[in-house]
Amino acid sequence: MLIRIGFDIELQVTAPTALIHMLQVHPSRAGDLQGGENLELSPALHTDHYIDGFGNRCARVRIPQGVDSVRLRNHALVYDTGQPDPVHLEARQLAAAELPVETLPFVLPSRYCEVDSELLAFAWDHFGQVAPGWPRVQAICDFVHRHLRFDYGSARATRTALEGFREGTGVCRDFAHLAITLCRAMNIPARYATGYLGDIGVPIAPYPMDFSAWFEAYLGDRWYTFDARHNTPRIGRIVIARGRDAADVPITMVFGANTLKRFEVTTEEALG
């Protein structure tokens, strides 16, 4: 299938300053883009493009004196297999000494994932007797899915996994952070992912489209996609960026005061 993606984001800014954005499809999906992306920046400003330490495509926009708003727009068609997230019940959990060294940063605490907290003992108490590997990660997803109540009205950019655990509410990033933290507490490498996820093959959600967050766990010899918020395999995920947690993959980040004036996201199957 083909999936139509895009966004229209406008930020009111205090100039001079700089804007960092991660808004382009991840290099791992670049080969699926049909004709590339169509990223537009208004006004046309000097932009430095680079790849960060996690392999994500990033850009820094230099905003000079006299510019009080920046608008970013993009649209593209992406080929997708149309298959749901793979499920491999036999995928095994590696011992810490077996893990590839490049996965080790994803078992450590990070900005929003306090592995070295009360969640460490909680994880071992609740999941220590679950069969290691896929069943253990799925048990963590099941718990987070039940424990947190999805509520856009309660969204808070500073909420950590421990705070989400105590408050019992959050949005997709909070589901991902809590599941990541519980996985890492069990010595399972887990990383944060953000990108497009449309309502393909499921009922249309009763709220505006947004970017989504999920997580990936390292089992056997590869990373697998898990989603504690939806807790079911989904069709049409398109990754933008991956990192230790949301702090590593800001969709937009302005160095200074700013106000979000417009935020529209498109993710839908391209029919006809």
Side-chain angles (χ1 to χ4, degrees):
M1 68 168 56
L2 291 177
I3 299 176
R4 182 179 294 106
I5 62 171
F7 55 80
D8 188 348
I9 300 171
E10 186 174 5
L11 294 160
Q12 185 173 2
V13 298
T14 301
T17 185
L19 160 70
I20 289 177
H21 68 77
M22 295 184 183
L23 286 166
Q24 293 181 268
V25 170
H26 192 269
S28 62
R29 296 298 302 270
D32 295 325
L33 288 164
Q34 307 298 293
E37 296 182 85
N38 298 275
L39 183 62
E40 300 178 29
L41 173 64
S42 301
L45 299 172
H46 181 91
T47 302
D48 302 299
H49 296 274
Y50 63 98
I51 302 294
D52 70 6
F54 298 101
N56 303 311
R57 298 176 68 185
C58 310
R60 179 184 63 184
V61 179
R62 304 184 188 184
I63 305 174
Q65 188 71 38
V67 174
D68 60 6
S69 70
V70 175
R71 188 173 181 182
L72 295 145
R73 287 175 286 185
N74 193 9
H75 63 90
L77 285 176
V78 183
Y79 168 78
D80 192 82
T81 64
Q83 298 299 309
D85 303 322
V87 175
H88 292 279
L89 301 177
E90 73 286 355
R92 72 185 188 96
Q93 178 177 340
L94 301 181
E98 298 178 279
L99 289 170
V101 293
E102 61 268 21
T103 69
L104 295 179
F106 301 102
V107 294
L108 302 176
S110 58
R111 168 67 179 85
Y112 293 109
C113 298
E114 312 101 319
V115 180
D116 51 347
S117 68
E118 65 190 62
L119 291 174
L120 179 62
F122 176 87
W124 282 98
D125 288 345
H126 285 75
F127 308 111
Q129 302 306 311
V130 179
W134 192 281
R136 182 171 283 170
V137 179
Q138 186 57 58
I140 288 171
C141 287
D142 292 344
F143 166 77
V144 174
H145 183 74
R146 294 191 307 266
H147 184 73
L148 296 184
R149 177 178 57 86
F150 186 84
D151 181 10
Y152 264 126
S154 73
R156 189 173 75 247
T158 58
R159 181 183 287 121
T160 68
L162 181 57
E163 290 170 339
F165 174 74
R166 290 172 175 172
E167 296 169 17
T169 190
V171 292
C172 55
R173 62 179 270 159
D174 302 303
F175 284 76
H177 284 151
L178 181 53
I180 287 169
T181 305
L182 294 173
C183 284
R184 291 180 186 172
M186 305 301 296
N187 300 322
I188 302 169
R191 66 188 184 187
Y192 185 94
T194 186
Y196 295 94
L197 180 61
D199 298 321
I200 299 174
V202 298
I204 303 298
Y207 35 76
M209 182 59 64
D210 197 350
F211 294 112
S212 189
W214 56 90
F215 77 101
E216 298 172 348
Y218 194 87
L219 298 171
D221 61 354
R222 56 163 287 188
W223 293 97
Y224 289 96
T225 295
F226 290 88
D227 187 339
R229 179 200 162 186
H230 297 104
N231 205 28
T232 188
R234 292 287 296 268
I235 296 170
R237 292 184 200 274
I238 301 171
V239 176
I240 291 176
R242 299 183 176 101
R244 291 167 298 183
D245 58 33
D248 289 330
V249 293
I251 295 297
T252 60
M253 183 176 69
V254 179
F255 291 87
N258 66 96
T259 302
L260 183 63
K261 297 178 64 178
R262 184 195 312 264
F263 186 86
E264 300 171 6
V265 177
T266 299
T267 312
E268 59 189 12
E269 184 178 0
L271 302 174

